[in-house]
Amino acid sequence: MKPKIWLSSPHMSGAEQTYIKEAFDTNWVAPLGPNVNGFENDLQSYLNEDCHVAALASGTSALHLSLILLGVSSGDEVICQSKTFSASANPIAYQGATPVFIDSERDTWNMCPEQLEIAIKDRMTKGKKPKAIIPVHLYGMPYKVEEIHKIAKEYNIPVVEDSAESLGSQYKGQNCGTFGDLSILSFNGNKIITTSGGGALVTKTKEQKQKAVFLATQARDNAPHYQHSHIGYNYRMSNIVAGIGRGQMTILNSHVAKRRSNHELYLNSLKDNNNITFLQEPEGHFSNRWLTAVLLDSKETREDLRLALEKENIESRPLWKPMHQQPIFKDSPSYINGVADELFDRGLCLPSGSNLTNEELDRVISAINTYFAVC
């Protein structure tokens, strides 16, 4: 059996141990501590906008708190990109609200502005003005920020920017994670940087961050005893986990550069293969290329190639299955143009980790070329 090539595995810098050791040496192993504050400050400095960051247990918890801060509750509707991971939609259900799914456009594979406006108008005629919009920077590619936010502003609907996959990406020179009324980041094990788990909420005001942190720490009132006037959550990041994040921040830029280099290698090596199409960067878009995703000429080719790579012990994965196709959301309203369905049928994510060696990348490319040579 050949060595395993993973889709996107954790990649440590070595600096993480310094922060973790410091936490142990000072006995800051309980939740919160200097690493949490330091990690939040590191993120704020990196994002380079007037923002405030709350380090949390996951990107999902950040999305959940975002909806709570926006007052989403039972009976409300929240617009969500259909082409995404389920964590973008699940927090809507946590609040007893209904997700309204929007299809993709072909330029970035993200939320289609035309379908978004159609959906808003239609929901309003039904007496259901959406309480929020959740667009996603899919695979690190920024969505059409100006178009989506122009529509959101016109109808006075706040945007929760799902930047779980796009730390290090930019739109017209501005960092993803800073466009939404609220924005979320993820540091899951497969992301551009990881804290093994973890995420963050990015807010525009200090007051929003303080409210989020209050809710994330079990909503304890200011009293010498344990007193609670609100429902709270155990969503805060620990000092140990934040130490990993601090070490990861030292190599974020190099991780972005390596993943972009991986993408360029795939593109240059496979550009003459008419069966493969790569997602290009539209003008003004800078993707961290978290995952290199390609389209094959058919659903059958996509699955056959995935299985051929699997035989070579190479992990690849179909693009996210749209939320409007998921059994759990089958009764949710959706505004569909067919793009997300086609992307799911034809799309495949290739190994993209920042720790891939040239030899491993050559193995992947060779396996792809071999498949097309014999198929």
Coordinates of all heavy atoms in Angstrom, one line a residue, residues 5 265-266 269 314 357-369:
I5 N -2.2 10.0 0.9 CA -2.1 11.4 0.6 C -3.5 12.0 1.0 O -4.5 11.6 0.5 CB -1.8 11.7 -0.8 CG1 -0.4 11.2 -1.2 CG2 -2.0 13.2 -1.1 CD1 -0.1 11.4 -2.7
L265 N 0.2 24.5 -9.7 CA 0.9 23.3 -10.2 C -0.2 22.4 -10.9 O 0.1 21.9 -12.0 CB 1.6 22.5 -9.1 CG 2.3 21.2 -9.5 CD1 3.4 21.5 -10.5 CD2 2.9 20.5 -8.3
Y266 N -1.3 22.2 -10.2 CA -2.4 21.4 -10.8 C -2.8 22.0 -12.1 O -3.0 21.3 -13.2 CB -3.6 21.3 -9.9 CG -3.5 20.3 -8.7 CD1 -3.7 20.7 -7.4 CD2 -3.1 19.0 -9.0 CE1 -3.7 19.8 -6.4 CE2 -3.0 18.1 -7.9 CZ -3.3 18.5 -6.6 OH -3.2 17.6 -5.6
S269 N -0.2 21.7 -14.9 CA 0.0 20.3 -15.3 C -1.2 19.7 -16.0 O -1.0 18.7 -16.8 CB 0.4 19.5 -14.0 OG 1.5 19.9 -13.4
I314 N -5.1 7.9 -2.4 CA -5.1 9.4 -2.5 C -6.6 9.8 -2.1 O -7.5 9.4 -2.8 CB -4.7 9.9 -3.9 CG1 -3.3 9.5 -4.2 CG2 -4.9 11.4 -4.0 CD1 -2.9 9.7 -5.6
T357 N 4.2 17.4 -0.2 CA 5.5 17.5 -0.8 C 5.3 17.5 -2.3 O 4.3 17.2 -2.9 CB 6.4 16.3 -0.4 OG1 5.8 15.1 -0.9 CG2 6.5 16.2 1.1
N358 N 6.4 17.9 -3.0 CA 6.4 17.9 -4.5 C 6.1 16.4 -5.0 O 5.5 16.2 -6.0 CB 7.7 18.4 -5.1 CG 7.8 19.9 -4.8 OD1 6.8 20.6 -4.7 ND2 9.0 20.4 -4.8
E359 N 6.7 15.5 -4.3 CA 6.6 14.1 -4.7 C 5.1 13.6 -4.6 O 4.6 12.9 -5.4 CB 7.5 13.2 -3.8 CG 9.0 13.3 -4.1 CD 9.6 14.6 -3.5 OE1 8.9 15.2 -2.6 OE2 10.7 15.0 -3.9
E360 N 4.5 14.1 -3.5 CA 3.0 13.7 -3.3 C 2.2 14.4 -4.4 O 1.3 13.8 -4.9 CB 2.6 14.1 -1.9 CG 3.2 13.3 -0.8 CD 2.9 13.8 0.6 OE1 2.8 15.0 0.7 OE2 2.7 13.0 1.5
L361 N 2.4 15.6 -4.7 CA 1.7 16.3 -5.7 C 1.9 15.6 -7.1 O 1.0 15.5 -7.9 CB 2.1 17.8 -5.8 CG 1.6 18.6 -4.6 CD1 2.3 20.0 -4.6 CD2 0.1 18.9 -4.7
D362 N 3.1 15.2 -7.3 CA 3.4 14.5 -8.6 C 2.6 13.2 -8.7 O 2.2 12.8 -9.7 CB 4.9 14.3 -8.7 CG 5.7 15.5 -9.0 OD1 5.1 16.5 -9.5 OD2 6.9 15.5 -8.8
R363 N 2.5 12.5 -7.5 CA 1.7 11.3 -7.5 C 0.3 11.5 -7.8 O -0.3 10.7 -8.6 CB 1.8 10.7 -6.1 CG 2.8 9.5 -5.9 CD 2.6 8.9 -4.5 NE 1.3 8.3 -4.3 CZ 0.9 7.9 -3.1 NH1 1.6 8.2 -2.0 NH2 -0.3 7.4 -2.9
V364 N -0.3 12.6 -7.3 CA -1.7 12.9 -7.6 C -1.8 13.2 -9.1 O -2.7 12.6 -9.8 CB -2.2 14.1 -6.8 CG1 -3.6 14.4 -7.1 CG2 -2.1 13.8 -5.3
I365 N -1.0 14.0 -9.6 CA -1.1 14.4 -11.0 C -0.9 13.2 -11.9 O -1.6 13.0 -12.9 CB -0.1 15.5 -11.4 CG1 -0.5 16.8 -10.6 CG2 0.0 15.8 -12.9 CD1 0.6 17.9 -10.6
S366 N 0.1 12.3 -11.6 CA 0.4 11.1 -12.3 C -0.8 10.2 -12.3 O -1.2 9.6 -13.4 CB 1.6 10.4 -11.8 OG 1.8 9.2 -12.5
A367 N -1.5 10.1 -11.2 CA -2.7 9.2 -11.1 C -3.8 9.7 -11.9 O -4.5 8.9 -12.6 CB -3.1 9.1 -9.6
I368 N -4.0 11.1 -12.0 CA -5.0 11.6 -12.8 C -4.7 11.4 -14.3 O -5.6 11.0 -15.0 CB -5.1 13.2 -12.5 CG1 -5.7 13.4 -11.1 CG2 -6.1 13.8 -13.5 CD1 -5.6 14.8 -10.6
N369 N -3.5 11.6 -14.7 CA -3.1 11.4 -16.1 C -3.2 10.0 -16.5 O -3.7 9.7 -17.6 CB -1.7 11.9 -16.3 CG -1.6 13.4 -16.3 OD1 -2.5 14.1 -16.7 ND2 -0.4 14.0 -15.9

